[in-house]
Amino acid sequence: MMHRGNNFGQCIRLIAVIASLCSLPAFADDYDPVNQLLRDGQLQQAMVKADAYLAQNPRDPQMRFLKALIQQDGGQRDAAIASYVALTQDYPELPEPYNNVAVLYAARGDFEKARDALEMATRNSRSYATAHENLGDVYARLAEKSYRQALQIDAGNTTLAPKLTLIRQLINDASADAQ
C-alpha cells in the first residue's frame, strides 16, 4: 500500500525532473551543440562540451544522459553503464536511462539485468513503447536460454526442440528486421 506522503514527494520530484528536462530555450542552446556533435560522430568534441557544462551543472539529468550516450557511442560501455546506473539512482522515475542500460546489459548477454532495468522503465512509463519492445526481446532471449537448459537436462523431451526452434526463428527474424 502506498502512503500519501510518498506519492506526494514522488510527484513533486517528478515535476522538478520534468521541468529540468523541458528547460527554457536559453538552456536548449547548451544541449544543441552537444546533440549535433553526437549526431555528427564528433564524440571527443561532444564530450568536451558535455563535461564543461556538467562542471557547472553536475546534476543536470539531460546532459548526464547525453554524456552517457557519447560514452556508449564511443565504445566506452562500462563507463556508459556506470553513467546510466547513476542516473537511475539519482532520477529513478526517468525511464530512458533504464532502457539504455538494459540495451548495454543485453549486448553483453546479461539478460537478467536487462530484464530488471526494462521492467523499471516500463513501470515508470507505461507508454514507453521502445522499452516494452526491448523487454519483449529480452524475454525471448531468456526463453531461449531456459529452453536450451531444459533440453540439456532432458534431451528426450519432445516438446522442447520445437519451442527452441520457434524462439530462435523469432529472434533471428527480429535481428534481420533491425538491420
Side-chain angles (χ1 to χ4, degrees), residues 68-138:
L69 285 173
I70 295 164
Q71 292 167 326
Q72 184 174 349
D73 286 0
Q76 301 171 346
R77 290 185 174 174
D78 291 338
I81 287 171
S83 294
Y84 289 131
V85 168
L87 273 168
T88 66
Q89 292 168 347
D90 293 343
Y91 301 98
E93 60 280 351
L94 297 177
E96 292 85 357
Y98 288 107
N99 181 71
N100 285 38
V101 77
V103 168
L104 291 172
Y105 287 146
R108 68 181 191 190
D110 196 342
F111 297 111
E112 289 82 9
K113 280 186 176 181
R115 178 201 56 221
D116 293 345
L118 288 165
E119 286 176 350
M120 286 300 298
T122 57
R123 262 184 250 145
N124 290 342
S125 180
R126 301 220 183 269
S127 63
Y128 191 14
T130 301
H132 284 283
E133 180 181 1
N134 289 342
L135 183 56
D137 292 343
V138 166

